[in-house]
Amino acid sequence: EQKSHDIGPIVTDAVDSPKESTTSRLWVHDDCTSWQSFVRIDKPGGGQQVTFGTDAFRLTTQWSSAGQAVRINGELTSCDDGEYACLLRFRVPWAFEQGMRWWQSIGQVSEVEASGTYSQTLVPIAAVTSADAGVALAVPPDAPCYFKAEYDAQIGLSMTMRLGLCPRSHVRAKGAAFSLLVMPTDPQWGLRDALEKYYDLFDRYYQRRTEKYGLWFMGRASDYPDPDLLMFSEVGEDFTRNTDYGQLLDMAQDNAAHGLVTFPYTIVGVCHVIHRRCHAESVEQLNAVLNDPSPQFTPWHRACMTLNRHGDQAEMLENVLAGAVGDPQGQVYIYQRDIQPLFGLTVSIVCNPSPGLGEDCKGQRWLAASEKMMAHDVIEGVYVDSLGRWCDYFDYRPEHMAITDLGLSFLDDGRLGKPNKFSHYEYLLHLRQALHGQDKLLFGNGVHQGTWRDGRFFLAALLDIAGSESGPRTSLNKYDLCRTYMGSKPYLLFSQGQWGSRKQVERYFKYSTLYAIAPSFFPRYYMLEDQVDQDTSFSWVDPAEPDLPAGTYARDRDLHKQYLPVIRRLHAAGWQPVTHALASDSRIRVERYGVQTPQLLVAVLNPTSQAIGFSLVVDETSLGIVKPVRLEPIVGAAAVDSQGWCLGPGEVEVFVVTERKHENVRTRATAQHCPV
């Protein structure tokens, strides 16, 4: 495309091998077929269908303009009744050239080597740049799939999707649908620029629906010191207290009086049956364990289920088992759990929460219970727990594989199954629609990289608020991932322990400030010494620290008062993936908040163990700033030195970016290095 003559997006020269330059090919085992090489896409919004195939498969794609990207919607179809595990790879044939960079994440960028191969499976955007060009492939949030983003120096940039073809699936007989985006990226900002385009293109998923922000806590605000620091309360599941529906509303009213938000607890990926041991070796023994004595559920689970006319425990268990996730051998996943205080007396059943499993399935029951709880004004949303652990399972039950809105996939063994994280996606999609219809919020826990490093990116797109139970040991890579998942939407961390050391807690607050993430703590952290005996729920959570000190909040209160107002200010301004600000020392991490002055802030962190002197250069033109800028530090950690600024080991600083009132040659030159 010539800048002087905009002819619109063109699909062109997508070659399968760098040695071939005239045709594209669909590979099926060792056979391949040529297809059309050049396709014109009319502007705006026009499209072109391309179909090609072999005797075994057919691939139909519809190419169309979509904002700053080309969107490809397609379907891969088998020509027989067989089941197939298919790796479908789209490739941009950009072979190695000097100066190329692969964007592993917003914080990890690698110089491409001539024989290098680079990949990631956490963010569905593959981005590579050179000195003067950049391109990205992305899977949209409304078409989730298992993917692999990759760059091979000999082959080019690619996105590989794992698609399962199964004639038993009711969604598309013999076929699997998919979507992909192709878009240019700024060569300087790479993945960050691609994310900005992605968020804009799918703003309905990344629109921030609440400006409230503060710490994540449990229960009643009146039980905590300094309730003004809190914001999001989860109320419900507790293995030691029988929290009923009336108590939920009472707590919600107390929280609302403090201006705080209450979310009733729900969990859809697992069901706990209590007061029994599980040593079953067969289905018959399992049923005996679960039904004798008669099944008992945790008090909150039972209370929520009875909201939806299901008071009989045996009937509840029958429906739970009907929706239980099955392993490749046809057995359901069930585990003996050591959950305080019922050590060895809790059996957990992994569940498929898809509402499509039927009227009495677990997903439908939780939707109905949530709808009744949402009828009260003091309930401002619903909390869904454990999107991390239980999403890692694959469901191999044939009757479940036949009921899916998103299709099937597979792991490395090639056996077709339904990823339980996509069953959760189907559930969250229904719950999100119901909540947003009443102007309420969806809060999910366990939004992290996943056990198999497949990530929770697509689940995060559906959430208004997300979090994970990680504390002071959270790595910079995880912070990068959390912020990438949510864009400018709220993300919260919850510490199960790790607060024995003041140094650990300081790091927690400083790293969280860079990313405008609320660093929260379990209830024991706030308890006074004479209250410890009341706490039997959270003293056990960190095996490395069995005697977590209570009353630690009093020790760290100054950290809360210093950093949380800054975190709230950053959140209010809104995280922007493209910083338009760079530190002269690449070890200094930089993030930007806000679009224009006077709500424009730049946060910097020194994650090393030594002090670093650096200058900070702000791209005034890109930010629409007419006059030279002035940087005002508000944390107080950065000192002025000969290079501009000096930041101590592990320290964080936040600068307010303003325009200078008086401009002259001297101040313009000074502003380039931004020392004052």
Side-chain angles (χ1 to χ4, degrees):
E1 176 181 319
Q2 300 295 326
K3 292 182 179 180
S4 59
H5 180 56
D6 184 1
I7 59 175
I10 291 180
V11 182
T12 175
D13 273 347
V15 300
D16 191 81
S17 167
K19 297 179 181 179
E20 302 175 8
S21 60
T22 57
T23 61
S24 301
R25 297 176 182 270
L26 169 68
W27 288 85
V28 183
H29 301 295
D30 295 327
D31 301 322
C32 62
T33 180
S34 300
W35 64 289
Q36 193 172 355
S37 294
F38 295 86
V39 178
R40 172 69 178 270
I41 301 177
D42 298 327
K43 276 186 146 183
Q48 174 68 45
Q49 181 168 300
V50 179
T51 301
F52 58 103
T54 68
D55 292 339
F57 298 98
R58 182 165 298 276
L59 183 66
T60 301
T61 58
Q62 181 74 26
W63 303 64
S64 60
S65 299
Q68 300 182 70
V70 172
R71 177 158 184 160
I72 308 165
N73 292 326
E75 183 174 16
L76 180 65
T77 308
S78 64
C79 299
D80 57 33
D81 292 328
E83 294 186 3
Y84 297 97
C86 301
L87 288 169
L88 181 63
R89 180 166 66 177
F90 279 80
R91 180 185 299 167
V92 176
W94 190 0
F96 171 79
E97 59 185 72
Q98 291 294 334
M100 295 185 74
R101 294 191 295 170
W102 162 257
W103 295 74
Q104 186 76 12
S105 69
I106 61 172
Q108 293 180 287
V109 186
S110 302
E111 296 292 331
V112 173
E113 298 181 358
S115 59
T117 298
Y118 310 85
S119 65
Q120 55 92 5
T121 58
L122 296 175
V123 178
I125 302 177
V128 69
T129 59
S130 68
D132 57 1
V135 67
L137 297 172
V139 180
D142 55 9
C145 69
Y146 267 77
F147 64 87
K148 182 180 182 181
E150 186 173 18
Y151 179 78
D152 185 290
Q154 303 302 313
I155 298 173
L157 185 70
S158 65
M159 182 69 75
T160 302
M161 294 172 280
R162 295 189 178 196
L163 306 178
L165 306 184
C166 178
R168 292 176 289 160
S169 173
H170 82 288
V171 181
R172 292 174 182 83
K174 306 180 184 179
F178 62 89
S179 290
L180 190 71
L181 303 173
V182 185
M183 53 188 169
T185 64
D186 184 284
Q188 181 178 11
W189 300 111
L191 176 61
R192 288 179 176 268
D193 182 62
L195 279 169
E196 186 173 89
K197 291 182 170 69
Y198 192 94
Y199 297 150
D200 289 343
L201 189 58
F202 300 102
D203 59 345
R204 66 188 183 278
Y205 293 96
Y206 295 97
Q207 175 188 5
R208 195 160 70 191
R209 302 188 69 251
T210 179
E211 296 304 320
K212 295 181 178 181
Y213 204 47
L215 299 179
W216 174 3
F217 68 106
M218 291 178 170
R220 188 188 307 270
S222 299
D223 295 337
Y224 290 79
D226 298 322
D228 59 302
L229 300 177
L230 310 174
M231 185 52 66
F232 304 110
S233 172
E234 61 164 289
V235 175
E237 184 76 324
D238 192 324
F239 283 79
T240 61
R241 299 178 182 90
N242 188 355
T243 303
D244 61 27
Y245 194 55
Q247 290 172 312
L248 163 68
L249 297 179
D250 182 60
M251 290 183 185
Q253 289 171 347
D254 181 81
N255 293 336
H258 290 87
L260 309 181
V261 186
T262 301
F263 297 84
Y265 180 101
T266 69
I267 186 166
V268 296
V270 70
C271 186
H272 305 302
V273 183
I274 59 175
H275 297 301
R276 65 211 58 227
R277 299 184 183 277
C278 179
H279 300 292
E281 298 180 357
S282 67
V283 175
E284 292 75 17
Q285 291 177 351
L286 173 62
N287 287 330
V289 166
L290 295 176
N291 288 282
D292 185 18
S294 60
Q296 299 179 56
F297 298 91
T298 56
W300 179 250
H301 191 109
R302 184 171 64 250
C304 291
M305 292 300 93
T306 54
L307 279 176
N308 189 30
R309 66 173 173 77
H310 294 285
D312 183 79
Q313 305 295 290
E315 180 208 6
M316 285 174 59
L317 179 59
E318 181 181 345
N319 286 313
V320 166
L321 290 174
V325 172
D327 68 14
Q329 286 71 47
Q331 303 296 315
V332 299
Y333 288 106
I334 184 167
Y335 300 99
Q336 186 82 55
R337 301 285 302 287
D338 288 334
I339 300 178
Q340 173 78 8
L342 302 174
F343 282 114
L345 293 175
T346 303
V347 173
S348 297
I349 305 167
V350 184
C351 299
N352 177 339
S354 175
L357 294 184
E359 180 181 357
D360 292 324
C361 70
K362 186 174 173 66
Q364 289 286 5
R365 289 186 174 195
W366 275 117
L367 286 173
S370 298
E371 186 173 348
K372 291 191 176 183
M373 289 185 286
M374 287 187 295
H376 299 270
D377 291 340
V378 290
I379 303 297
E380 296 193 42
V382 171
Y383 171 89
V384 182
D385 195 17
S386 287
L387 298 177
R389 178 169 188 171
W390 310 113
C391 288
D392 278 331
Y393 290 84
F394 259 60
D395 192 353
Y396 295 96
R397 292 181 69 168
E399 62 270 34
H400 292 181
M401 291 169 61
I403 302 171
T404 173
D405 294 333
L406 298 177
L408 306 177
S409 190
F410 56 94
L411 298 177
D412 290 343
D413 62 0
R415 188 192 303 266
L416 295 189
K418 183 181 181 184
N420 208 31
K421 73 172 181 178
F422 293 155
S423 296
H424 279 73
Y425 184 99
E426 293 170 358
Y427 173 81
L428 292 177
L429 201 60
H430 283 78
L431 180 58
R432 180 178 189 262
Q433 183 178 3
L435 287 166
H436 288 187
Q438 300 184 42
D439 198 26
K440 295 182 185 276
L441 303 170
L442 177 55
F443 180 5
N445 179 28
V447 179
H448 51 61
Q449 66 271 23
T451 303
W452 305 108
R453 299 195 63 78
D454 56 1
R456 302 294 179 260
F457 184 95
F458 298 116
L459 300 182
L462 299 178
L463 301 173
D464 300 308
I465 304 159
S468 60
E469 294 175 33
S470 177
R473 296 175 187 156
T474 304
S475 68
L476 275 176
N477 289 340
K478 181 172 180 178
Y479 274 108
D480 284 336
L481 193 66
C482 297
R483 184 43 68 205
T484 299
Y485 278 2
M486 295 300 284
S488 66
K489 296 186 294 184
Y491 192 95
L492 318 169
L493 288 174
F494 216 4
S495 178
Q496 293 184 341
Q498 308 166 24
W499 60 68
S501 164
R502 163 82 175 197
K503 185 177 180 180
Q504 286 180 307
V505 178
E506 285 184 1
R507 178 190 182 275
Y508 190 30
F509 273 91
K510 291 171 183 177
Y511 279 44
S512 295
T513 298
L514 178 68
Y515 297 90
I517 286 175
S520 313
F521 297 86
F522 267 36
R524 183 179 176 86
Y525 175 78
Y526 300 93
M527 289 182 177
L528 300 178
E529 291 295 340
D530 60 357
Q531 296 175 310
V532 175
D533 291 340
Q534 304 172 24
D535 172 42
T536 57
S537 299
F538 305 106
S539 60
W540 60 276
V541 293
D542 191 338
E545 300 178 271
D547 298 316
L548 293 172
T552 309
Y553 171 74
R555 180 198 70 187
D556 301 332
R557 187 170 184 263
D558 61 315
L559 297 176
H560 289 73
K561 295 292 186 179
Q562 179 183 6
Y563 290 103
L564 196 59
V566 176
I567 290 172
R568 282 173 159 166
R569 184 171 177 178
L570 291 169
H571 173 75
W575 179 72
Q576 306 298 320
V578 177
T579 65
H580 290 307
L582 291 172
S584 59
D585 192 309
S586 61
R587 292 174 296 174
I588 295 291
R589 301 293 296 269
V590 180
E591 298 296 338
R592 174 171 65 95
Y593 297 83
V595 177
Q596 58 187 9
T597 58
Q599 287 80 35
L600 192 61
L601 302 104
V602 175
V604 295
L605 172 74
N606 174 9
T608 74
S609 58
Q610 62 187 62
I612 297 178
F614 64 97
S615 60
L616 184 64
V617 179
V618 176
D619 186 347
E620 301 160 355
T621 302
S622 296
L623 292 172
I625 300 174
V626 177
K627 299 179 181 179
V629 298
R630 175 184 176 86
L631 299 184
E632 177 189 352
I634 59 175
V635 174
V640 177
D641 77 350
S642 59
Q643 296 188 57
W645 300 100
C646 182
L647 203 56
E651 293 293 343
V652 68
E653 185 59 83
V654 175
F655 297 100
V656 179
V657 181
T658 60
E659 294 182 353
R660 292 179 180 271
K661 294 182 179 180
H662 304 289
E663 178 184 348
N664 55 46
V665 174
R666 181 182 178 85
T667 55
R668 181 183 291 276
T670 303
Q672 172 111 22
H673 299 284
C674 303
V676 293

